[in-house]
Amino acid sequence: MNHHLLGPFSFGPNVNFIVGNNGSGKSAILTALIVGLGGKATTTNRGASLKGFVKYGESAADIKVKLKNRGKEAYKIETYGDSICIEHRITSDGCRTCKIKNKTGHVISTKKEELTAILDHFNIQVDNPVSILNQEMSKQFLHSKNETDKYKFFMKATLLEQMKRDYIHIKQTKAVTRDQVERQEECLKDLRQLFLQKKERYESLSSLDDLRRTLEDLKQKMAWCLVREMECQVEQLKEQIEREESEFKLKEKLELCQNKVSVSEKKSQEIQQKIWRLTEEQDSLAEESRKFKEEIKVKSKAQKNQEVIYVCAENKLKQLEKEQCLLQDRIHKINHSLRRSHEAEQIQRLKKISAFKKQLEKLEAESNVLNQEIKDKQQALLKGREEYDKLSMEEKEIQACLESKLKRKKQLMASRSNRLRRFGDSMPELLQSIDRAFAQGRFIKKPVGPIGACISLKDPSLVVAVESCLRSFMKTFCCDNYKDEKVLQELMSPYFPRGSRPQIIVCRFTDRAYKLQGRGVCHPEFPSVLDALNIENPVITNCLIDMRSIESILIIKEKARARKVMQGSRPPKNCREAFTAEGDQVFSNRYYTPENEVLVKYLGGDPEAEIRLVESEVENNQAQLSRFQLHLRSVKEDIQSMEEKLRSVIVTCKHNQENINKVKASITELENIEEPQTEDISSLEEDARENQQKIESQRRTVTDAQKDLKKHERSLMNINQQYKDVKNKMERLSDEVEQIKEEQVKAESEYSKLDQTMQVLTKKLKSHQDNIQTMRAELSLKEEETRAFEAKAKEICPERPHVNLSTKSIDVEITRLRQKINTHERNHGDKEQVIREYAEAHGNYKSKSNQLRDLKKFIDRLDNIMTDRQARYKILRRSLSVRCKLYFNNFMIKLQCCGSMMFDHNNETLSISVKPPGRENDSVSDMRSLSGGERSFSTVCFLLSLWEITESPFRCLDEFDVYMDMHNRQISLDLLLELSERQQLRQFIFITPQSTSNLPKSAHIKIHQLQDPERDTEENGH
């Protein structure tokens, strides 16, 4: 954008016209409205990225949109009040931040979901061309002859296209479900066969009572033997608890560390108070500096005014002295010369004046022609420069894309020989340095990384989803402690610049991965990111669980399925988010789609295939860049040619103006020649005396003005010195604040380290106390288990026998008997196992059959619903098309035109036939036979018909009348104003470069006249 400041614009409640010349910022207002309401850069058709909207040389651009929030349909009236303010800030690197404020200016939210909720509540669709028709879309739409394009425009405006896509997706899902039912029916047959086999074994069971009675006797002895062993364990636990409770070292260390933390915190607070005090002093000095600056401005103005007075007085004195000299010369000439006759000279002078006036008229006519030619050439040059700027921006985008592709190709070529080069050109050398440092004993434990090289995919089709999830961790290293981290940072310094150094995560190395029972997400259809990865090193697993929670992130390939799972109802248990196969990020209340296509950089399987793909893209980009450069050179040559012609015309115009000035001067000189008159010498001498008195008076005035000027200069010098003193004091305070801030950073760093140490000690003490508590709990549990074992032993054998055997010998005997029983049961089968297998087979068969029955019912019900929905969809489509026809015919009748609109829903075309007044009997009525203005006018009638059948709180049209003649434009304006009068609760914004002088005066119409662009003014000045 080339506009430093647009607005603010306060739109009227009904009709608004934005009028201005090309380049004045009309379309920029509409672009700001789209972006300010959350629209993408591509929606505006003014650029591919948001950073293109920031003015060259500026760091950011601000957009502020204020929405009315009144009436019964107000949105959160108790939170926002009667107005909602949406502020967007776009930085030069393409980042966008949003603030949603209430009426008082308080920030309510900064989330995109809140903005989406507001737009949905007010039915604002920034990407619907019926609501906002920008300049590019307006040109294509108003000048289009394609019947398919008009039909697509009708479908998109009425949201029928979205409904159609949803129905197609439902049909595809139903077909997939039906295939699953057919596969499950085959599995059901196998389950039924297994169920019949288990039932047969269940019915043929026999008893093994004798062996089992003997086994029961041994179990009774085993019960009392276990009681004896439990009593021994209880005694050992009591002794261990007594030893643990006698240790107090951790508690003393913790108290000492807490005292240090308190001292460090107090020190940080004192530093903060110093900073606040200095900041207040800085604010006071800033206010004093501002006052001095204003006083300097006033004093400078007074000094300049006094200087003007002094110069004027001095000039007047010089003029009086010059007049005095002239009077003296005149008196002298009159005394020494005689009067002569000048009649012949006067006749000659009149003839010269007449000739000069004729020459002046001719030169002025030529000047008018040259000035008009300059204006025309400047307008053409402005359009050429706009086109050149647009092409240059597109060329830069293609060049950046090409450089990115070439860099990617270089990485892939390097990864042929070493896969690690995917993570950076210097990554293999860095890993060799780590190995050498570890061999030299510089590391306590060898760092692990990069993470992307330590993981692989079970399913290659999920590579985009996994890279989208873990992209910021692919080049990350893991260290066991902070000392190893410091050594690793030193090793990284020669290979990576400070800003692009790989991330380092410090986490305690363990040999086992975390136990995730009850923490991770478990879904029957979709895997988590943890399930989709092969990770051999438990350190990497634990790091990704801690930093990215990969155990609670699902991978769902299809977008619609992901929306249904995460946002249709309650998300799966322990599930935070999900990723699709295309890299989309899905939360329970929001959905993010990457602006650009996600490229696989780290986990790709075949580098050759990727190289071929990248080479193909590079060739396409190079060809596209070559075409753009050729076109750009051609446009630049045209601009240079136009500039040369413009300079030539300007030079000619200047020469012509110089001739005009010379002729005017000659005429003035001839007209000002006075005839000599006989003058009275005495009167001239009286005038000379009076003039001498005036000179003396004026000299005194000049002296007084000079004194006042010096006084003003001294005052200004003093105030400037005071202003410099304040500035120097502010600079000293700023340096002092910076030094104190450095001390604050050091203090905060010390406090952070002490706090971490205290947390570690607290965790250790808590762990120690928890260990004692655990042992006590274990003791209570053991005592309870001992009592339970004793109670069970008494139930098995009421009297406690004297058992000499150990549990091991009894267990060996029990094992021998069980083997004997098992040998017997292999022939006949174990009763409990057979019963359990029978019950399990019966439950599986019954559960699967119920599932299939429910799925079939669901498919049948879905068929009925879709049949009904399709019928309703056709009825709605027919209703909207009929209403559109009626409104279109109504507009044609009002304008005394013959026209019709034909919808062909099978071929998806929309044909419009129009016969202007006086051509009703023509056989051809297709819009292609109309002129550009008539075709644009007919398409405007079509657009008005769509407005009648769709809902939107405001409508925007950009340059809808550029292809119309004045007659059709006036008719179109009358139709638009008539529609706005019927819909006074809606807001209309019309953007046009043409005059609005013929609009009726009405309180419902507000006209915003934009100033001419600054660059036009500069060029005219040159």
Side-chain angles (χ1 to χ4, degrees):
M1 293 293 174
N2 295 321
H3 307 284
H4 178 70
L5 178 65
L6 284 177
F9 289 94
S10 178
F11 293 110
N14 191 209
V15 180
N16 296 269
F17 281 89
I18 300 176
V19 185
N21 293 327
N22 290 335
S24 60
K26 304 187 300 301
S27 298
I29 296 171
L30 190 59
T31 301
L33 182 61
I34 295 172
V35 176
L37 291 176
K40 296 181 179 179
T42 53
T43 306
T44 65
N45 286 326
R46 306 281 291 182
S49 175
L50 291 174
K51 63 184 179 182
F53 297 143
V54 181
K55 185 177 180 181
Y56 180 76
E58 300 290 341
S59 61
D62 294 319
I63 303 171
K64 182 177 179 182
V65 180
K66 195 172 185 181
L67 301 178
K68 186 185 291 183
N69 190 41
R70 301 173 186 167
K72 296 180 180 179
E73 300 297 328
Y75 179 78
K76 295 182 181 179
I77 188 68
E78 67 282 355
T79 303
Y80 288 98
D82 58 3
S83 66
I84 300 174
C85 183
I86 303 169
E87 295 183 3
H88 278 270
R89 186 174 183 84
I90 304 170
T91 60
S92 58
D93 56 359
C95 296
R96 169 163 61 182
T97 57
C98 174
K99 293 182 181 179
I100 304 175
K101 299 182 179 179
N102 60 7
K103 182 183 178 182
T104 61
H106 179 67
V107 178
I108 302 299
S109 176
T110 59
K111 296 182 179 180
K112 184 179 180 182
E113 296 76 17
E114 180 69 8
L115 177 58
T116 304
I118 292 172
L119 298 180
D120 291 342
H121 180 82
F122 291 119
N123 194 24
I124 297 174
Q125 306 168 28
V126 294
D127 57 347
N128 192 335
V130 172
S131 296
I132 300 177
L133 191 65
N134 57 43
Q135 183 175 349
E136 190 66 26
M137 183 66 74
S138 175
K139 290 179 181 178
Q140 296 176 2
F141 174 66
L142 295 175
H143 216 56
S144 174
K145 303 177 183 179
N146 195 328
E147 297 177 350
T148 304
D149 291 342
K150 287 184 171 59
Y151 185 83
K152 288 181 180 178
F153 191 86
F154 167 77
M155 295 290 285
K156 185 174 182 180
T158 56
L159 300 180
L160 291 172
E161 183 180 357
Q162 181 63 38
M163 292 173 64
K164 184 178 179 182
R165 288 199 299 266
D166 291 342
Y167 289 158
I168 291 172
H169 176 69
I170 291 171
K171 286 182 179 180
Q172 293 173 350
T173 305
K174 184 185 73 175
V176 172
T177 305
R178 196 181 295 278
D179 293 339
Q180 291 180 353
V181 169
E182 292 176 357
R183 289 194 297 270
Q184 293 298 328
E185 284 179 345
E186 295 295 329
C187 295
L188 185 62
K189 293 179 181 178
D190 298 336
L191 287 175
R192 188 174 185 279
Q193 187 66 29
L194 180 62
F195 164 66
L196 294 175
Q197 292 175 2
K198 298 299 180 184
K199 185 178 180 182
E200 183 179 352
R201 288 187 62 191
Y202 173 71
E203 293 173 350
S204 64
L205 282 175
S206 60
S207 64
L208 303 172
D209 297 334
D210 295 336
L211 290 173
R212 287 173 180 159
R213 276 195 297 272
T214 307
L215 185 61
E216 287 298 323
D217 293 337
L218 287 172
K219 286 181 179 179
Q220 291 175 2
K221 293 180 180 181
M222 175 64 83
W224 284 106
C225 190
L226 289 172
V227 170
R228 186 185 64 192
E229 290 187 354
M230 290 296 295
E231 290 172 349
C232 293
Q233 292 178 8
V234 167
E235 291 299 325
Q236 292 175 358
L237 276 173
K238 287 181 178 178
E239 294 175 0
Q240 191 175 356
I241 289 171
E242 290 177 359
R243 287 196 303 270
E244 290 289 336
E245 287 178 343
S246 63
E247 295 183 3
F248 296 98
K249 293 182 180 178
L250 283 174
K251 194 171 183 180
E252 294 175 357
K253 288 182 179 179
L254 179 60
E255 290 176 355
L256 180 61
C257 188
Q258 285 175 343
N259 293 332
K260 290 182 179 179
V261 168
S262 300
V263 172
S264 179
E265 186 177 7
K266 186 176 180 181
K267 183 179 179 182
S268 297
Q269 291 176 355
E270 290 176 354
I271 293 173
Q272 185 63 44
Q273 288 176 358
K274 285 183 181 179
I275 291 175
W276 288 342
R277 188 177 67 254
L278 291 175
T279 304
E280 290 176 358
E281 191 173 351
Q282 277 183 325
D283 294 339
S284 175
L285 288 174
E287 180 64 23
E288 189 176 351
S289 173
R290 185 186 63 79
K291 291 180 180 178
F292 277 132
K293 200 171 183 180
E294 291 178 356
E295 190 173 354
I296 287 171
K297 191 182 293 185
V298 173
K299 295 284 186 183
S300 298
K301 186 175 181 180
Q303 188 260 347
K304 288 180 181 178
N305 292 336
Q306 185 61 36
E307 187 176 357
V308 170
I309 292 172
Y310 170 71
V311 171
C312 291
E314 196 173 32
N315 290 336
K316 188 174 181 181
L317 176 62
K318 291 179 180 178
Q319 182 67 28
L320 289 173
E321 290 175 348
K322 186 176 180 182
E323 290 178 358
Q324 184 69 12
C325 291
L326 291 174
L327 282 172
Q328 294 294 337
D329 291 342
R330 204 166 184 180
I331 291 170
H332 181 74
K333 287 180 181 179
I334 290 174
N335 288 329
H336 298 84
S337 63
L338 296 174
R339 187 175 179 181
R340 298 177 180 179
S341 176
H342 296 279
E343 291 181 0
E345 293 179 3
Q346 184 176 5
I347 294 170
Q348 186 68 22
R349 187 171 66 252
L350 290 175
K351 288 181 180 179
K352 288 182 179 180
I353 290 172
S354 177
F356 279 133
K357 285 184 177 179
K358 290 180 182 180
Q359 185 180 359
L360 180 63
E361 289 177 359
K362 182 179 179 182
L363 291 172
E364 286 178 344
E366 292 178 358
S367 178
N368 292 332
V369 173
L370 290 171
N371 285 330
Q372 184 62 39
E373 186 177 355
I374 288 172
K375 288 182 180 179
D376 295 340
K377 290 186 181 299
Q378 285 177 341
Q379 190 69 20
L381 182 60
L382 175 62
K383 291 182 179 179
R385 285 176 177 170
E386 288 179 352
E387 182 182 2
Y388 182 78
D389 292 342
K390 184 177 179 182
L391 290 172
S392 298
M393 187 180 298
E394 293 178 0
E395 183 198 12
K396 290 178 181 177
E397 292 174 356
I398 296 171
Q399 187 71 36
C401 181
L402 178 60
E403 291 175 357
S404 175
K405 293 287 192 306
L406 290 172
K407 184 177 180 181
R408 177 61 180 159
K409 179 183 175 183
K410 183 180 178 182
Q411 288 182 346
L412 290 172
M413 296 288 286
S415 67
R416 281 176 169 174
S417 58
N418 193 333
R419 183 174 176 268
L420 290 172
R421 296 202 183 274
R422 291 191 174 195
F423 303 93
D425 295 337
S426 303
M427 189 61 71
E429 290 76 10
L430 174 61
L431 292 179
Q432 291 175 3
S433 299
I434 292 173
D435 291 337
R436 288 194 298 270
F438 181 68
Q440 295 168 2
R442 297 177 63 186
F443 289 111
I444 298 174
K445 290 186 179 180
K446 182 180 176 182
V448 180
I451 289 178
C454 301
I455 62 177
S456 61
L457 291 169
K458 296 178 182 178
D459 184 0
S461 64
L462 305 180
V463 62
V464 174
V466 173
E467 281 212 14
S468 298
C469 177
L470 304 178
R471 182 169 295 276
S472 59
F473 296 96
M474 284 296 177
K475 298 166 68 174
T476 300
F477 282 78
C478 298
C479 286
D480 176 70
N481 52 77
Y482 290 102
K483 180 181 177 183
D484 289 351
E485 179 195 18
K486 188 174 181 181
V487 175
L488 183 57
Q489 287 176 351
E490 293 176 358
L491 294 177
M492 285 183 177
S493 299
Y495 301 109
F496 294 97
R498 186 172 183 82
S500 62
R501 190 184 66 193
Q503 182 182 4
I504 301 174
I505 296 174
V506 179
C507 58
R508 186 66 61 187
F509 285 7
T510 58
D511 297 332
R512 296 182 181 178
Y514 293 151
K515 295 181 180 180
L516 302 175
Q517 288 80 1
R519 287 175 52 191
V521 62
C522 183
H523 197 278
E525 296 184 49
F526 309 114
S528 67
V529 176
L530 178 60
D531 296 333
L533 293 175
N534 291 318
I535 310 177
E536 296 180 358
N537 195 330
V539 173
I540 301 297
T541 305
N542 295 340
C543 177
L544 291 178
I545 290 173
D546 289 336
M547 303 302 295
R548 193 63 182 91
S549 301
I550 59 174
E551 79 282 3
S552 59
I553 303 175
L554 285 177
I555 298 178
I556 306 173
K557 290 185 178 181
E558 299 177 357
K559 293 183 180 180
R561 186 64 172 153
R563 284 184 184 272
K564 184 175 181 181
V565 172
M566 296 298 294
Q567 300 175 355
S569 59
R570 181 178 296 177
K573 184 180 178 183
N574 298 328
C575 183
R576 294 175 59 253
E577 57 186 294
F579 282 86
T580 68
E582 297 178 0
D584 296 354
Q585 191 174 12
V586 189
F587 292 90
S588 59
N589 58 353
R590 56 193 186 277
Y591 189 102
Y592 295 120
T593 302
E595 292 186 2
N596 301 317
E597 181 183 359
V598 179
L599 298 177
V600 178
K601 295 180 63 177
Y602 304 107
L603 301 178
D606 185 8
E608 296 298 330
E610 291 187 40
I611 289 171
R612 289 194 295 273
L613 178 61
V614 172
E615 286 178 345
S616 175
E617 293 175 351
V618 166
E619 290 178 359
N620 292 335
N621 283 343
Q622 287 175 341
Q624 189 177 5
L625 181 63
S626 177
R627 291 195 299 271
F628 260 89
Q629 289 174 345
L630 287 174
H631 191 188
L632 202 61
R633 281 198 294 271
S634 174
V635 172
K636 187 174 182 180
E637 290 174 358
D638 293 342
I639 291 173
Q640 291 175 350
S641 175
M642 287 189 287
E643 289 176 344
E644 186 65 30
K645 292 179 180 178
L646 179 61
R647 283 194 294 269
S648 175
V649 175
I650 290 174
V651 170
T652 304
C653 185
K654 285 183 179 180
H655 290 324
N656 189 69
Q657 188 64 39
E658 290 175 358
N659 294 332
I660 290 173
N661 293 335
K662 289 179 181 178
V663 172
K664 285 183 178 180
S666 300
I667 293 173
T668 304
E669 184 180 357
L670 290 171
E671 288 177 346
N672 290 336
I673 294 176
E674 298 181 358
E675 296 181 4
Q677 298 179 357
T678 304
E679 297 184 11
D680 188 2
I681 296 175
S682 62
S683 63
L684 289 176
E685 290 176 347
E686 183 67 24
D687 291 342
R689 285 192 295 272
E690 290 179 359
N691 199 49
Q692 185 63 34
Q693 292 176 358
K694 289 181 181 179
I695 289 171
E696 296 297 330
S697 175
Q698 189 62 30
R699 282 175 180 168
R700 289 192 295 272
T701 303
V702 169
T703 303
D704 294 340
Q706 188 176 14
K707 291 179 180 179
D708 292 341
L709 178 61
K710 290 181 178 179
K711 183 179 179 182
H712 281 287
E713 287 176 348
R714 286 194 299 271
S715 176
L716 182 61
M717 189 182 299
N718 292 333
I719 198 70
N720 272 325
Q721 185 61 39
Q722 293 177 7
Y723 177 69
K724 288 179 181 178
D725 293 341
V726 171
K727 278 288 185 182
N728 293 332
K729 194 172 182 181
M730 287 177 66
E731 290 176 358
R732 289 196 299 272
L733 279 177
S734 178
D735 295 337
E736 188 175 352
V737 169
E738 290 299 324
Q739 292 176 358
I740 295 176
K741 283 184 177 179
E742 290 179 359
E743 294 178 5
Q744 184 185 26
V745 171
K746 293 179 181 178
E748 288 177 352
S749 175
E750 182 181 356
Y751 173 78
S752 177
K753 290 180 180 178
L754 289 172
D755 186 58
Q756 289 178 359
T757 304
M758 185 180 70
Q759 290 177 3
V760 171
L761 290 174
T762 304
K763 288 181 181 178
K764 287 183 178 180
L765 181 60
K766 189 175 181 301
S767 175
H768 180 70
Q769 293 173 349
D770 290 344
N771 189 25
I772 295 174
Q773 192 66 26
T774 302
M775 286 191 293
R776 285 181 176 175
E778 187 178 356
L779 176 61
S780 300
L781 186 61
K782 290 289 184 183
E783 290 176 346
E784 185 67 28
E785 288 179 358
T786 303
R787 288 192 292 271
F789 274 115
E790 188 175 357
K792 288 180 181 179
K794 286 180 180 180
E795 290 177 3
I796 297 171
C797 182
E799 294 183 2
R800 181 168 183 169
H802 181 71
V803 182
N804 294 326
L805 299 174
S806 64
T807 55
K808 185 175 181 181
S809 59
I810 295 174
D811 187 57
V812 169
E813 185 64 23
I814 289 174
T815 302
R816 187 184 65 80
L817 281 175
R818 281 178 175 169
Q819 288 176 352
K820 192 173 181 180
I821 292 171
N822 289 335
T823 303
H824 193 271
E825 285 179 346
R826 275 197 294 270
N827 299 325
H828 302 281
D830 178 61
K831 184 177 180 180
E832 293 180 358
Q833 182 179 358
V834 170
I835 292 172
R836 187 171 59 253
E837 290 178 354
Y838 167 71
E840 184 179 354
H842 181 263
N844 289 339
Y845 173 69
K846 188 175 181 181
S847 174
K848 185 63 71 175
S849 61
N850 289 337
Q851 288 180 4
L852 286 176
R853 185 180 68 251
D854 293 342
L855 277 175
K856 288 179 180 178
K857 288 181 180 179
F858 170 74
I859 291 173
D860 294 338
R861 185 180 178 190
L862 186 62
D863 285 334
N864 296 331
I865 292 173
M866 285 303 297
T867 302
D868 180 63
R869 288 277 181 158
Q870 289 284 1
R872 291 176 182 269
Y873 169 78
K874 291 180 180 178
I875 292 171
L876 176 63
R877 185 177 64 183
R878 184 179 62 187
S879 172
L880 291 174
S881 59
V882 169
R883 289 177 61 197
C884 188
K885 286 181 183 180
L886 291 175
Y887 282 117
F888 184 78
N889 291 336
N890 187 29
F891 286 127
M892 291 291 104
I893 291 171
K894 286 182 181 180
L895 302 173
Q896 298 179 358
C897 296
C898 294
S900 63
M901 184 182 293
M902 297 296 294
F903 285 89
D904 187 349
H905 296 299
N906 293 328
N907 296 322
E908 297 185 349
T909 58
L910 170 58
S911 60
I912 299 175
S913 60
V914 178
K915 293 182 180 179
R919 293 164 57 184
E920 293 82 357
N921 298 326
D922 290 355
S923 59
V924 179
S925 61
D926 192 281
M927 289 186 66
R928 287 174 291 188
S929 63
L930 302 177
S931 66
E934 292 173 343
R935 183 165 54 252
S936 299
F937 163 70
S938 303
T939 314
V940 167
C941 292
F942 172 45
L943 182 62
L944 291 177
S945 303
L946 291 176
W947 281 6
E948 292 283 4
I949 65 174
T950 56
E951 295 291 333
S952 180
F954 61 84
R955 319 278 194 184
C956 300
L957 281 182
D958 189 3
E959 297 195 3
F960 64 94
D961 54 355
V962 292
Y963 297 110
M964 297 183 187
D965 54 23
M966 294 306 297
H967 175 71
N968 288 323
R969 179 176 181 270
Q970 185 60 44
I971 295 174
S972 300
L973 287 174
D974 292 341
L975 287 175
L976 292 171
L977 294 177
E978 181 184 353
L979 177 64
S980 65
E981 288 180 1
R982 294 199 308 271
Q983 300 180 3
Q984 292 187 4
L985 296 179
R986 288 199 179 95
Q987 211 170 18
F988 296 85
I989 301 173
F990 304 123
I991 298 175
T992 177
Q994 301 189 25
S995 174
T996 56
S997 59
N998 55 349
L999 289 175
K1001 293 184 178 180
S1002 172
H1004 300 294
I1005 300 175
K1006 188 172 183 180
I1007 299 175
H1008 306 268
Q1009 180 68 46
L1010 300 183
Q1011 297 180 358
D1012 289 341
E1014 295 180 0
R1015 54 178 176 271
D1016 287 347
T1017 306
E1018 293 173 359
E1019 290 173 1
N1020 289 333
H1022 289 297

